Amino acid sequence: MKIFYNSATGNSLYVAKIIKDQFKDCELISISKALKENKIEVREDLIGFIYPIHCGGLPIVVNEFISKLNINEDSYVFAIGVTGGGGADMSFSQINKLLPSKIKISNYCTIKYISNYTRAGKNPTEKRAMDAIRENESKLLDFIESLKNRDCKDKDFKGGIGNFAYKMWKDYYKKKDKKFNVNNKCIGCNMCERVCPADNIIMENNKPKWSGKCTDCMACINICPKEAINIGKSTIKKNRYINPYIKREELL
């Protein structure tokens, strides 16, 4: 089995690691790294995608990766959308459209944690995050059993007005990093540069500089160990978030 994951703050990686522990032969692969290295040929018969939900659908890098992926027609494909409390059906519909015509998702699951979209709201405290993880534990374990049984679900996913909102966010909301800035707390550790899935950050004079290709994932602002990165002034007093069971280094 190969599981392709996208994880800015660790939630999707945490889910991927739980699944990996339940299978003898399972490899976890970062989608952003696979995309950068053009590793798009996959011959395994069991393939999974695990990712956060962005604007109701797939993260931009996940969308791009799946659109380029070359897999066998008889592969068993599953998807897990890790949300901030909402649904993930639109992302499953998007995957079905991006996969080659004869391939569809065989199984799917929505895991509902707590939103950590720092731009728009407060991140969860460690306690709230751990509570949400615990509340979804049985659902995740049940889904793992369904994967072992190769269960198949058939559903006609519909996006509705969400498809329009997603397209506007993805294709027309340019320069998502326009207000990103760094203050004098920065220690030049370059974690923000390394975690960015789009190679959008470069270090100049030991400080991050954004290049206008931001995918709105919030990885850089949350991974900074000194909380030196902000979006305008709106995030200065907001707490930062990393999944309590994931170390920063695992996201790099």
Side-chain angles (χ1 to χ4, degrees):
M1 181 202 300
K2 280 191 176 180
I3 295 178
F4 295 94
Y5 71 90
N6 173 246
S7 195
T9 58
N11 285 345
S12 296
L13 176 56
Y14 171 79
V15 171
K17 289 177 69 175
I18 293 296
I19 295 177
K20 183 181 186 298
D21 288 344
Q22 298 296 318
F23 288 85
K24 291 182 179 180
D25 185 17
C26 179
E27 181 181 4
L28 302 186
I29 301 171
S30 162
I31 286 177
S32 59
K33 289 181 180 179
L35 190 58
K36 292 172 185 178
E37 296 170 4
N38 200 36
K39 293 183 177 180
I40 57 174
E41 299 286 335
V42 183
R43 293 295 168 247
E44 276 71 11
D45 65 346
L46 180 53
I47 301 168
F49 303 114
I50 304 178
Y51 50 85
I53 297 299
H54 288 183
C55 198
L58 294 173
I60 293 171
V61 293
V62 178
N63 190 302
E64 182 182 354
F65 175 70
I66 296 177
S67 71
K68 296 178 178 180
L69 201 59
N70 186 357
I71 62 178
N72 295 333
E73 290 184 359
D74 59 351
S75 295
Y76 179 95
V77 179
F78 70 89
I80 300 179
V82 183
T83 84
D89 280 6
M90 189 168 73
S91 74
F92 305 143
S93 173
Q94 290 169 339
I95 292 174
N96 279 341
K97 291 176 182 177
L98 291 168
L99 289 171
S101 58
K102 294 184 180 180
I103 306 174
K104 300 295 181 186
I105 293 173
S106 303
N107 208 342
Y108 57 90
C109 180
T110 302
I111 296 295
K112 297 183 179 182
Y113 289 158
I114 300 174
S115 175
N116 53 72
Y117 185 45
T118 317
R119 183 193 296 275
K122 290 184 178 180
N123 285 332
T125 62
E126 182 174 289
K127 181 182 183 304
R128 286 189 69 207
M130 294 176 73
D131 287 345
I133 290 169
R134 185 172 58 253
E135 289 166 5
N136 280 267
E137 184 176 356
S138 62
K139 183 176 184 179
L140 182 54
L141 293 177
D142 287 344
F143 183 70
I144 290 171
E145 287 304 309
S146 75
L147 293 181
K148 291 179 178 179
N149 296 330
R150 297 289 182 101
D151 293 340
C152 292
K153 299 178 186 176
D154 187 19
K155 181 178 179 180
D156 183 20
F157 300 107
K158 298 184 183 299
I161 194 171
N163 283 322
F164 176 75
Y166 177 85
K167 183 173 178 59
M168 292 296 293
W169 167 80
K170 175 178 174 290
D171 297 331
Y172 296 102
Y173 175 27
K174 302 296 184 180
K175 295 185 178 180
K176 298 176 177 65
D177 54 10
K178 184 178 180 180
K179 294 184 178 181
F180 278 58
N181 61 83
V182 62
N183 61 35
N184 58 14
K185 293 181 181 178
C186 175
I187 57 174
C189 68
N190 89 330
M191 279 191 173
C192 53
E193 180 185 34
R194 293 167 63 193
V195 79
C196 179
D199 286 339
N200 183 51
I201 298 174
I202 57 174
M203 300 298 288
E204 286 191 356
N205 298 320
N206 225 26
K207 303 285 186 183
K209 180 180 179 181
W210 291 264
S211 306
K213 302 179 295 180
C214 177
T215 62
D216 211 24
C217 72
M218 303 292 114
C220 62
I221 190 172
N222 282 297
I223 203 168
C224 178
K226 296 298 182 180
E227 299 185 9
I229 296 172
N230 283 289
I231 305 173
K233 297 181 180 179
S234 64
T235 58
I236 291 175
K237 294 183 179 181
K238 292 182 180 181
N239 65 313
R240 304 307 198 249
Y241 176 80
I242 298 290
N243 182 287
Y245 301 106
I246 297 295
K247 296 178 181 179
R248 278 182 169 83
E249 290 73 18
E250 294 181 83
L251 298 170
L252 302 177

